[in-house]
């Protein structure tokens, strides 16, 4: 008799039931607000996938969540809870902005974009390095230090945007606009060049980088010696030491990889959409990435699916606010929060019950 749940139940059935429970509770909230839950669901789905502009926005949101979800997932595999993705994404965007501002008048766009991409990863990794080092060498819990570094990143960005990088002669804390040559092309522009006409949306080529990041994480965790070391430290640090693995080195390195992945949010937001440095462009993607990683069971495929779900909630929720008088923006946030609650904080709530049911079925089915 198996004492563990089959992977198809753990990865497929339980997350699906969690989502169903979240939508049932959200439906009750909508009903209490005086609207039809079924009509609201139809509007949400249509607003997220019903036309090409909606699909573009859904994929744009999902791109950011893939980066932050992968960042959290890599740390999970090493037994680390990196909740500093928001700050790491913020500083990664700073790296993108500095590279673009410093080089867009010197080098052609094809040379600046790779530098900006590298800067996003390096800045994000650097911001995650110190929490990782403190965890490994001083025992400072990474949850506490990454929370602190989120606030430090916010304060640093405010200082830089207000006093250093602000475009002269304006009140808004924004940098000057980058030269168009360093902008990442939008997907609707690329499709137009191929003769395919779709509506404008912020979806840009950073989605391809998100796909490559998924492949990289899968290969890293499952097909490399470093990935084996990460998983060994995450499962049993004492066993890792016995096997000749240095847990301190693995913890620091894993946090740097995690920070680099979160930093890639800056590619999508700063280089792909905003085309300038500004405040608060992360918009909570780092925190939502925690729920994405939990719901996706820290696997790249699951993270992609979870990111699409949350991207649909972001985009479809906007349509709910437009279409219904009694569904306000605050209520939409409540609905999104319920999905995050059930698929994130309560992701393993049903695991003991599912395990008991599975063991009972195995006993009854055994000869």
């Amino acid at each position: 008799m198996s004492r563990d749940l089959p992977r198809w139940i753990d990865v497929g059935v339980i997350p699906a039931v969690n989502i169903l429970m979240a939508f049932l509770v959200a439906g009750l909230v909508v009903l209490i607000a005086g609207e039809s839950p079924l009509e609201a669901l139809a509007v949400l789905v249509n607003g997220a996938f019903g036309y090409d502009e909606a699909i573009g926005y859904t994929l744009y949101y999902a791109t950011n969540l893939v980066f932050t979800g992968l960042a959290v997932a890599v740390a999970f595999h090493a037994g680390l809870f990196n909740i500093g993705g928001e700050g790491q994404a913020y500083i990664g965007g700073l790296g993108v902005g500095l590279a673009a501002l410093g080089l867009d008048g010197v080098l052609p766009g094809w040379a600046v974009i790779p530098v900006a991409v590298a800067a996003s990863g390096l800045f994000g990794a650097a911001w995650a390095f110190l929490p990782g080092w403190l965890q490994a060498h001083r025992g400072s819990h990474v949850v506490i230090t990454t929370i602190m570094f989120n606030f430090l990143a916010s304060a640093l960005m405010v200082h830089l945007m207000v006093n250093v990088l602000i475009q002269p002669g304006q009140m808004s804390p924004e940098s000057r606009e980058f030269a168009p040559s360093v902008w990442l092309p939008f997907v609707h522009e690329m499709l137009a060049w191929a003769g395919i006409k779709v509506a404008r949306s912020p979806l840009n080529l950073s989605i391809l980088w998100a796909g490559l990041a998924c492949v990289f994480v899968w290969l890293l965790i499952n097909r490399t010696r470093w990935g084996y070391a990460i998983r060994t430290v995450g499962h049993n640090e004492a066993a890792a030491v016995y096997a000749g693995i240095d847990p301190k080195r693995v913890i620091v390195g894993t946090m740097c990889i995690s920070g680099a992945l979160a930093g890639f949010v800056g590619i999508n937001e700063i280089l792909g959409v905003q085309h300038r440095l500004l405040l608060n462009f992360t918009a909570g993607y780092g925190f939502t990435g925690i729920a994405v990683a939990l719901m996706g069971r820290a696997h790249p495929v699951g993270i992609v699916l979870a990111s699409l779900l949350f991207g649909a909630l972001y985009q479809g929720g906007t349509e709910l606010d437009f279409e219904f008088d009694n569904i306000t923006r605050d209520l939409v946030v409540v609905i999104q929060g319920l999905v995050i609650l059930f698929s994130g904080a309560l992701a393993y709530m049903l695991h003991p019950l599912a395990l008991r049911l599975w063991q009972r079925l195995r006993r009854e089915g055994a000869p």
Side-chain angles (χ1 to χ4, degrees), residues 67-140:
F67 288 133
T68 56
L70 290 174
V72 175
V74 169
F76 275 168
H77 283 291
L80 303 169
F81 194 23
N82 176 19
I83 59 175
E86 190 79 1
Q88 291 148 20
Y90 221 167
I91 300 303
L94 174 63
V96 171
L98 292 177
L101 291 171
L103 299 175
D104 62 353
V106 180
L107 298 175
W110 60 264
V112 176
I113 290 175
V115 174
V117 171
S120 68
L122 289 173
F123 274 59
W127 201 249
F129 168 78
L130 190 54
W133 187 89
L134 290 172
Q135 166 85 34
H137 295 273
R138 292 294 182 267
S140 302

Side-chain angles (χ1 to χ4, degrees), residues 4 7 66 76 80 88 121 137 142 223 231 265 351 362:
D4 297 321
R7 189 163 180 80
V66 166
F76 275 168
L80 303 169
Q88 291 148 20
H137 295 273
V142 73
R223 291 293 185 270
R231 287 183 284 117
V265 170
H351 192 278
R362 294 280 292 177

Side-chain angles (χ1 to χ4, degrees), residues 176-200:
R176 65 167 176 84
E177 189 175 73
F178 308 150
S181 62
V182 304
W183 299 0
L184 279 182
F186 290 107
V187 169
H188 65 264
E189 295 175 343
M190 301 292 290
L191 293 176
W193 295 340
I196 304 173
K197 185 177 181 180
V198 298
R200 294 176 59 89

Side-chain angles (χ1 to χ4, degrees), residues 249-271:
R249 180 169 173 263
V250 171
I251 289 172
V252 175
T254 302
M255 282 298 296
C256 288
I257 295 171
S258 178
L261 290 165
F264 290 150
V265 170
I267 303 171
N268 187 25
E269 287 294 325
I270 299 301
L271 208 60

